[in-house]
Amino acid sequence: MKKSKQFWIFISSSIAAYAIVQLLIMMGILDDFYINTIVFMSINIMLAVSLHLVIGITGQFSLGHAGFLAVGAYVSAIVTMKLHLPFPVAILAAGVMATIAGLIIGIPSLRLRGDYLAIATLGFAEIIRIIFLNIEYVGGAAGMQVTHLTNWTYTFICLFATIVIIVNFTNSRHGRACISIRENEIAADAMGINTTYYKVLAFAIGAFFAGIAGALYAHNFYIIQPVNFGFLKSIDILIYVVLGGLGSLSGAIVATILLTIVSTFLQSYPETRMIIYSLVLIIVMLYRPKGLMGTMEITDYFKLWRGSKGGSRHGQ
């Protein structure tokens, strides 16, 4: 993100949003339900933004994000509950271990494309889940009890860092190389771009932030279980990115906010929640097949609005 007017507007609005939420929490206006909803929404945004780098920017169809989330969740839980180290250390360890897992799966599997890559990453996520399911040290199928350490401040700092770093990466020459791979991998390779290197790099960065999201996720609840990180969790994250519009970071954020709100406020209707949730997805995809925002960002709409406003003035 260049240090332009947009950069300072983003910084100012982010600090203002943090201050408003923190003030509402301190005044007791936001109860535990709303605080938990905001934290959970922020974690989902981190997951969506990190997967956006892999699918939306680099064009690699991955279904293994729940695996990186699981690695981050269990590593952070071990660091705090078994090793009794501070929570910030657990967050960092979760990101590092998820990155290592991303490199282990990324280096051999990212030579695959399309459906084959999706199957390979899905298999990786299931392997991770089965491993945790059979390790008694972390509770096996019964799960692992975790102290509630995630709060709004930790969540905001991690979310802010995730968005800033991924936006800066996307706008750098490395990000341009990833976009060229998404548009035409063969042409990018012919132009001398090391496609395997950039695909693995994007995969590792995405895994790092998914691991950090896993640390926040684990310490936002009192217990984590392997069943929390199954195939459906990967699909949930994928839906955020696809519904927002492949290639649109702000679209992924908007879709995540909308679907988290829909899912949260329909918890009182467990029988019909998934039906309504699915209908929302079907309706949106029927009328917006490229996603809510296509490949555009929110700033593009402001530019269009200013352009039309300037044109009308010129016409007058």
Side-chain angles (χ1 to χ4, degrees), residues 185-204:
E185 186 174 343
I186 297 174
D189 197 27
M191 292 296 292
I193 293 174
N194 189 337
T195 56
T196 302
Y197 167 77
Y198 280 110
K199 286 194 291 185
V200 172
L201 179 63
F203 207 69

Side-chain angles (χ1 to χ4, degrees), residues 82-123:
K82 303 286 186 182
L83 305 179
H84 306 292
L85 293 175
F87 187 41
V89 176
I91 294 175
L92 184 61
V96 171
M97 290 306 296
T99 304
I100 294 172
L103 291 173
I104 292 173
I105 185 62
I107 291 173
S109 65
L110 284 175
R111 296 181 184 279
L112 304 172
R113 297 177 183 175
D115 300 341
Y116 301 104
L117 176 61
I119 293 169
T121 51
L122 175 62

Side-chain angles (χ1 to χ4, degrees), residues 7-31:
F7 174 81
W8 294 114
I9 290 175
F10 173 76
I11 297 293
S12 304
S13 58
S14 299
I15 294 174
Y18 167 76
I20 291 171
V21 174
Q22 184 65 25
L23 185 63
L24 292 176
I25 293 172
M26 292 174 65
M27 294 174 66
I29 296 176
L30 291 179
D31 58 18

